[in-house]
Amino acid sequence: MVQITFVEPAGAEVAVDATEGWSLMQAAVANGVDGIVAECGGSCVCATCHVYVDETRLAALPAPGEIELELLEEVKAERRPNSRLSCQITATPELAGLVVTIPPCQT
Amino acid sequence: MSDLTEADAHIVVVGAGQAGLQAAETLRAGGFEGRVTLVGSEPHAPYHRPPLSKGWLSEALDARQLAIRDVSALERKNIDLRVASHVAEIDANARAVRLQDDSRIAYSGLVLATGATPRMLGNAAPADGTICALRSREDASAIAKGLRNCLQARLPLVVIGGGFIGLEVAASARKLGADVVVLEAAPRLLQRALSRELSDWYARLHASHGVTLVLDARIDKVETSGSTAQVRLIDGRRWEAGLVLVGVGIIPNDELARRAGIACDNGIIVDACSRTSIAGIVAAGDCTVCRLPDGSMRRLESVQSAVEQGRAAAYTLLGMEKPFTGTPWFWSDQYDAKLQIAGLSRSADRSVARGDMAGKSFSIFHYAVDRLVAVDSINAARDHVIARQLIGVGVSPTIDQVSDISFDLGRLRPA
Ligand SMILES: Cc1cc2nc3c(=O)[nH]c(=O)nc-3n(C[C@H](O)[C@H](O)[C@H](O)COP(=O)(O)OP(=O)(O)OC[C@H]3O[C@@H](n4cnc5c(N)ncnc54)[C@H](O)[C@@H]3O)c2cc1C
Ligand code: FES
């Protein structure tokens, strides 16, 4: 288990024990975190699982793939340098304690 | 519908799939404070179907990874989810639905999101786990078991129907090491959805992964004996199969609506705001067919349309008009090929490739006269994203711009 803290759109911080190997999107959904829509269920086609990753740890994450980068152009909320698609980030021990913020809207 | 602002307003959503869930959530997002009941005949909370033919078969995903929302999230939104509950009848005059257990739920607004049922072949009913169709989690589990049977008995999976579901399962089965035979009645794969060049491309893709493809296949008989099935073509060719998957399309679940007197025509007829022929009853998703402003009928079977129609349906009940008029889009994953379709290519009379069709990434742009109507992209997400936007605003790149890969199509997007 990897502890990840999601900051919901309304501001609540929800700490979740994410199963290793699951995506952050799956961990959020399985734990009832609010604000991730994930229309495509993690197929990397819908851009509705957008999150902002804690900037100080951004560099520690595997870089986004080409498809993810292209889809990030589609996000509804403001795209920032720390924007990622949560279905494309796998929960690994290196991410323990990571804080990700869910933007105000996904669609 | 003014009664919906009253505290006793109760919106009942029939069908707890992608469209039903979306409608329920949009009611809350739109400020609805009355009761929302989401009734689903399956024993599960709403889950994603697309992975059932993809990762679910080959990667052993956990059921919780399939969930669209956790039940706690629905509770927090005060959406009353009733699983394993089947609506047997709509009494539109009394504004109530009757469940199979004879209980009744009165509604002030009703959303029909009953989805669809796989079509079976005349003489091939699902039997003993050797003849399957794929729609639900249970179906997928039966297929996973059937594939194990294929591997153990060294018998192939025979897929009847070269559409998206059949081909995705074929790809997943190859990944697991099963032999696969695909029988397609038409002269090419994915005839309804794709242009000939892309059909041929998929035929080569599957052949290169060792799938046996039979086009123009006329099924004579499908029979089972014990844990194997026999499929015979009219021309006499036959296969012994460890599993037969029938993937020949779906039939919209519109019977409930028809019996209630709602206009249907191979699906519940809706407009872009998801209105049916009865006021106060809206419908969304695979159970619907949409009447376009020009009078033509359009059936979309996709996650996107389930979501967009579900949203429009909820807004209509809230007295707001937010029609689904966006560009249709769809995706399919097979092997390492991610297909993304934007728009509908049916009316197209001319196609241009962008990129190299022999390579791993390219798109085909479809034009009707000089208007861009659809773009099929293989592993070219940027083309897809831009195409969706361009088609949406009615901007058509010239053929020269499309065929020149150094030209940035993104420049054509309105600011
Ligand atoms: C294996 C598979 C792969 C797919 N892959 C893709 C893909 O890659 N991309 C894509 O865009 N789309 C894909 N689709 C299509 C997409 O999943 C559907 O278009 C979408 O799920 C339709 O949603 P829906 O809510 O209309 O129907 P459903 O999700 O089918 O939900 C309808 C629900 O209503 C219930 N119901 C029916 N009648 C009643 C009743 N009387 N009372 C109570 N409940 C009832 C049903 O049990 C069902 O749970 C795929 C579908 C399948 C099956
Ligand atoms: S869930 Fe669709 S892109 Fe992440």
Side-chain angles (χ1 to χ4, degrees):
Chain A
M1 292 289 185
V2 184
Q3 200 190 56
I4 306 285
T5 298
F6 292 93
V7 183
E8 295 183 337
E13 289 192 10
V14 186
V16 156
D17 284 325
T19 306
E20 266 185 72
W22 287 25
S23 70
L24 294 194
M25 178 279 281
Q26 288 169 331
V29 169
N31 288 283
V33 172
D34 195 31
I36 302 249
V37 172
E39 275 172 20
C40 76
S43 296
C44 202
V45 292
C46 73
T48 65
C49 62
H50 178 202
V51 295
Y52 302 122
V53 172
D54 175 3
E55 284 104 345
T56 62
R57 300 189 58 185
L58 196 57
L61 261 74
E66 225 170 285
I67 296 185
E68 181 181 344
L69 281 174
E70 289 168 2
L71 268 181
L72 280 167
E73 293 182 18
E74 273 283 274
V75 295
K76 285 295 171 297
E78 181 198 352
R79 180 182 179 180
R80 300 183 189 156
N82 57 340
S83 283
R84 293 292 305 261
L85 296 181
S86 55
C87 71
Q88 299 305 304
I89 304 174
T90 306
T92 56
E94 294 75 55
L95 298 191
L98 183 72
V99 179
V100 300
T101 303
I102 302 173
C105 60
Q106 299 280 4
T107 58
Chain B
M1 285 183 23
S2 55
D3 57 341
L4 289 183
T5 52
E6 292 168 20
D8 63 358
H10 184 182
I11 293 178
V12 173
V13 183
V14 185
Q18 192 93 47
L21 173 69
Q22 184 65 44
E25 290 192 328
T26 303
L27 287 169
R28 290 295 180 230
F32 179 66
E33 288 176 353
R35 287 173 65 194
V36 176
T37 303
L38 181 56
V39 188
S41 37
E42 293 189 65
H44 317 286
Y47 58 90
H48 292 286
R49 290 182 203 283
L52 295 179
S53 52
K54 308 173 181 106
W56 177 263
L57 289 176
S58 39
E59 285 157 23
L61 293 172
D62 182 313
R64 285 181 78 206
Q65 291 172 279
L66 274 191
I68 306 181
R69 295 286 176 273
D70 189 65
V71 177
S72 66
L74 297 181
E75 282 167 0
R76 267 208 290 175
K77 290 188 175 145
N78 201 12
I79 293 169
D80 183 7
L81 173 67
R82 302 208 193 161
V83 296
S85 303
H86 188 78
V87 171
E89 196 183 5
I90 302 165
D91 185 343
N93 292 325
R95 293 191 158 226
V97 294
R98 182 175 62 78
L99 304 196
Q100 211 153 39
D101 66 6
D102 262 348
S103 61
R104 284 168 71 86
I105 311 177
Y107 63 77
S108 44
L110 184 66
V111 182
L112 298 177
T114 48
T117 306
R119 184 178 300 139
M120 289 308 290
L121 296 172
N123 60 357
D128 304 332
T130 49
I131 303 179
C132 294
L134 176 52
R135 183 76 189 175
S136 66
R137 253 175 72 179
E138 281 67 28
D139 295 338
S141 304
I143 290 167
K145 195 165 152 232
L147 288 176
R148 286 196 294 275
N149 186 38
C150 289
L151 290 167
Q152 264 162 20
R154 295 172 175 275
L155 287 171
L157 159 72
V158 174
V159 175
I160 299 180
F164 285 117
I165 301 266
L167 293 178
E168 287 181 0
V169 174
S172 300
R174 284 302 297 144
K175 224 175 186 171
L176 292 170
D179 286 334
V180 178
V181 179
V182 174
L183 308 176
E184 166 56 55
R188 59 184 179 90
L189 297 176
L190 296 160
Q191 191 169 24
R192 252 180 354 128
L194 297 184
S195 60
R196 163 163 292 283
E197 50 215 322
L198 213 44
S199 289
D200 295 346
W201 189 86
Y202 269 102
R204 289 194 298 274
L205 177 71
H206 281 273
S208 75
H209 280 89
V211 170
T212 304
L213 268 184
V214 182
L215 300 171
D216 293 310
R218 295 274 174 280
I219 306 287
D220 177 22
K221 238 190 220 154
V222 184
E223 289 171 324
T224 58
S225 55
S227 60
T228 69
Q230 295 76 40
V231 182
R232 201 164 69 199
L233 299 188
I234 296 215
D235 64 16
R237 278 180 287 180
R238 58 185 298 280
W239 288 269
E240 179 94 351
L243 175 70
V244 175
L245 175 75
V246 181
V248 294
I250 56 176
I251 301 168
N253 293 331
D254 61 6
E255 199 208 321
L256 198 60
R258 250 186 293 132
R259 279 193 280 122
I262 297 169
C264 295
D265 176 9
N266 187 33
I268 303 169
I269 300 174
V270 293
D271 65 7
C273 289
S274 295
R275 286 180 280 239
T276 71
S277 62
I278 296 186
I281 304 183
V282 290
D286 283 8
C287 65
T288 68
V289 56
C290 187
R291 197 197 300 274
L292 301 178
D294 67 4
S296 65
M297 299 291 220
R298 179 173 85 179
R299 260 189 70 70
L300 296 174
E301 297 160 5
S302 69
V303 166
Q304 179 228 5
S305 96
V307 166
E308 307 264 5
Q309 287 190 311
R311 195 175 287 140
Y315 280 125
T316 293
L317 289 182
L318 295 178
M320 289 177 249
E321 265 203 22
K322 297 203 178 182
F324 167 32
T325 50
T327 309
W329 64 271
F330 181 80
W331 83 95
S332 172
D333 292 312
Q334 296 167 45
Y335 311 106
D336 293 329
K338 179 180 285 298
L339 167 70
Q340 290 169 278
I341 301 177
L344 298 171
S345 57
R346 224 159 292 157
S347 62
D349 49 37
R350 182 161 186 198
S351 307
V352 198
R354 179 173 177 85
D356 178 9
M357 278 189 72
K360 278 189 160 3
S361 157
F362 62 89
S363 296
I364 300 176
F365 285 62
H366 301 282
Y367 289 82
V369 191
D370 287 326
R371 195 167 55 90
L372 181 68
V373 290
V375 178
D376 305 328
S377 303
I378 299 281
N379 299 330
R382 184 173 153 79
D383 285 355
H384 172 73
V385 163
I386 294 172
R388 234 150 82 184
Q389 295 167 343
L390 293 183
I391 295 169
V393 293
V395 170
S396 303
T398 66
I399 307 261
D400 286 345
Q401 288 169 335
V402 166
S403 19
D404 175 6
I405 45 164
S406 67
F407 180 81
D408 177 12
L409 293 173
R411 274 175 39 196
L412 302 175
R413 286 189 278 208

